[in-house]
Amino acid sequence: MDNTWVNRKKKLETYMQDQQLDGMLITSPTNVYYLTNFDSDPHERFLAYYMNSGGEEWLFVPQLDLQAAKQESNVASIIGIEDGVNPYDVLLRTMKQEPARLGIEKGIMTVARYEQLIKALDHPICIDLEDALLSLRIIKSNDEIMKVQRAVDIVEQVMGAAAKLAAVGMSELELAAEIEYQMRKQGADRPAFETMVLFGARSALPHGKPSGAKLQRGDFVLIDIGVQAGGYCSDITRTFVMGEPTEEQKRIYHTVLAANEAAIAASRSGITFAELDQVARALIVEAGYGALFTHRLGHGFGMEVHEQPSVSAGNNKQVEAGMLFTVEPGIYHPTLGGVRIEDNIYIAESGEAKVLTSYPKHLIQLGQ
């Protein structure tokens, strides 16, 4: 087995010993993939990775995924579960010893499945594994960063295509559809999240959804997109203007750009995430737009588009080598619209920040 997988599992074994766990049942498809190399969406069916205190492991998959799991997984013992079979009965029969203390992902498991689990296993004490798994995933390996970089490269090609396709009279939904077509064309497996295309005043909605609103001259054009490729995500935002910007639009844009660049320059091992947030926020406050920067500075990502760490005013943890996160300050003016500029940052072994995104950040005028 590749050392990457061995190291991840050894860290989990150490955690099991420290917590005196008899077993761990991992049911999040993302975490199953992280540990086993088997990437699957089981829908309503049962998917789980189980490891006991002796380091023995099993992968439970829907019967229809059995052959794929045998080809892709690094786990030797793979159990297929047919439709209509109680998966917890299969789990109980497979275990060498019924666990008295069991690790599970409490935020992932539904109440219905939890009730089935504790009934089948005679009410074990359940310990939450999510923090342990997040602590594994928060530090990215060089191999993971190479995969993220591929996802970034794809999405930047898509962003370039979107800038060329945007035209007066086009709706947000039309441009979003073109963008998602380009994602597939450029080699993405899927969008990493719902594509965000917002025009004019609607660009002031930080989490707005594309609508039938039509692009007009003078509008801000905010595009927030990401792809998943090879199991890893990218997440980038750029804001354009259709035609000539007003002086106020220029001022808003350059304030956000200054905040983005200052936070990136400050990103290094040892600084806290709260301090990073403050670096960007202080510039926006100084320019008089503090009340219009309504969200945290950024977030971690990787196999999922939102992971730890949170780059926010309330997070006093320090930045460490191996961490991957976004820097995305914004100003959201209710009538002029919003500007957000988002880059993807990796902290190298040296402790310095490496910017994975390279799409231009000057104010680009579309339709010229």
Side-chain angles (χ1 to χ4, degrees):
M1 188 188 302
D2 184 277
N3 283 340
T4 298
W5 312 111
V6 172
N7 291 338
R8 290 173 183 176
K9 291 175 182 181
K10 282 191 175 298
K11 288 177 181 177
L12 274 185
E13 283 187 66
T14 300
Y15 178 81
M16 287 179 67
Q17 293 165 5
D18 291 343
Q19 298 296 315
Q20 298 180 317
L21 299 179
D22 302 307
M24 294 188 302
L25 183 69
I26 295 169
T27 54
S28 156
T30 301
N31 286 331
V32 169
Y33 178 35
Y34 185 74
L35 294 167
T36 72
N37 198 43
F38 179 56
D39 187 11
S40 170
D41 181 355
H43 301 289
E44 76 282 3
R45 295 180 172 91
F46 184 79
L47 172 73
Y49 170 73
Y50 182 77
M51 178 189 287
N52 68 20
S53 57
E56 295 175 288
E57 58 180 0
W58 294 267
L59 178 61
F60 298 86
V61 302
Q63 184 67 32
L64 54 80
D65 288 332
L66 183 59
Q67 291 306 313
K70 286 181 177 179
Q71 292 172 9
E72 299 169 18
S73 169
N74 57 44
V75 179
S77 299
I78 304 174
I79 312 295
I81 299 178
E82 296 180 356
D83 290 351
V85 172
N86 186 330
Y88 299 99
D89 289 343
V90 177
L91 180 65
L92 182 60
R93 290 197 303 270
T94 304
M95 292 174 171
K96 297 286 182 74
Q97 182 178 353
E98 192 169 336
R101 287 174 58 85
L102 177 68
I104 64 171
E105 300 145 295
K106 290 187 176 182
I108 299 297
M109 186 170 287
T110 65
V111 173
R113 289 195 168 185
Y114 175 74
E115 289 176 345
Q116 287 180 286
L117 172 68
I118 61 172
K119 182 179 178 181
L121 301 186
D122 194 22
H123 295 80
I125 297 170
C126 290
I127 310 299
D128 191 14
L129 289 175
E130 287 196 88
D131 283 347
L133 290 165
L134 287 173
S135 71
L136 279 183
R137 286 172 49 188
I138 199 171
I139 302 299
K140 270 63 176 181
S141 67
N142 288 334
D143 179 63
E144 288 180 289
I145 294 304
M146 288 175 61
K147 292 177 179 178
V148 171
Q149 185 66 69
R150 177 171 175 259
V152 168
D153 293 344
I154 290 171
V155 85
E156 293 197 322
Q157 291 294 319
V158 175
M159 187 68 79
K164 292 176 182 177
L165 288 165
V168 170
M170 173 180 273
S171 75
E172 293 170 346
L173 283 168
E174 286 172 328
L175 185 53
E178 293 283 0
I179 284 170
E180 293 192 1
Y181 167 70
Q182 289 292 328
M183 288 178 180
R184 295 285 191 177
K185 191 175 179 180
Q186 297 295 337
D189 297 328
R190 62 184 71 90
F193 51 91
E194 186 173 357
T195 295
M196 187 184 301
V197 176
L198 302 169
F199 301 153
R202 285 178 45 77
S203 60
L205 303 172
H207 275 177
K209 295 184 177 182
S211 72
K214 300 293 180 69
L215 181 55
Q216 300 178 36
R217 288 212 163 269
D219 280 353
F220 275 135
V221 177
L222 189 150
I223 300 176
D224 185 348
I225 53 177
V227 302
Q228 189 179 82
Y232 284 79
C233 297
S234 55
D235 184 2
I236 180 175
T237 307
R238 291 293 185 265
T239 307
F240 309 90
V241 66
M242 175 53 72
E244 289 288 334
T246 66
E247 289 304 310
E248 183 70 359
Q249 283 177 315
K250 289 180 185 177
R251 186 166 184 264
I252 289 172
Y253 190 92
H254 290 118
T255 299
V256 173
L257 180 58
N260 167 277
E261 292 181 336
I264 290 172
S267 296
R268 62 184 183 277
S269 293
I271 193 171
T272 69
F273 291 105
E275 288 169 335
L276 270 187
D277 184 278
Q278 179 58 25
V279 166
R281 199 169 300 276
L283 288 172
I284 293 175
V285 169
E286 183 180 357
Y289 297 112
L292 304 181
F293 180 15
T294 54
H295 55 73
R296 62 186 175 177
L297 178 63
H299 57 85
F301 68 104
M303 298 178 76
E304 295 177 293
V305 77
H306 284 98
E307 297 184 357
Q308 294 296 324
S310 177
V311 189
S312 62
N315 187 358
N316 290 308
K317 292 182 179 178
Q318 291 186 340
V319 174
E320 297 178 35
M323 288 183 172
L324 174 70
F325 53 89
T326 68
V327 168
E328 48 181 304
I331 293 173
Y332 306 95
H333 192 287
T335 56
L336 291 177
V339 173
R340 183 165 64 250
I341 303 172
E342 177 181 21
D343 286 305
N344 298 169
I345 311 301
Y346 173 61
I347 305 301
E349 289 182 13
S350 65
E352 300 301 312
K354 179 181 179 183
V355 185
L356 304 184
T357 38
S358 60
Y359 193 88
K361 291 192 286 189
H362 64 276
L363 181 53
I364 295 174
Q365 296 174 221
L366 304 177
Q368 299 299 301

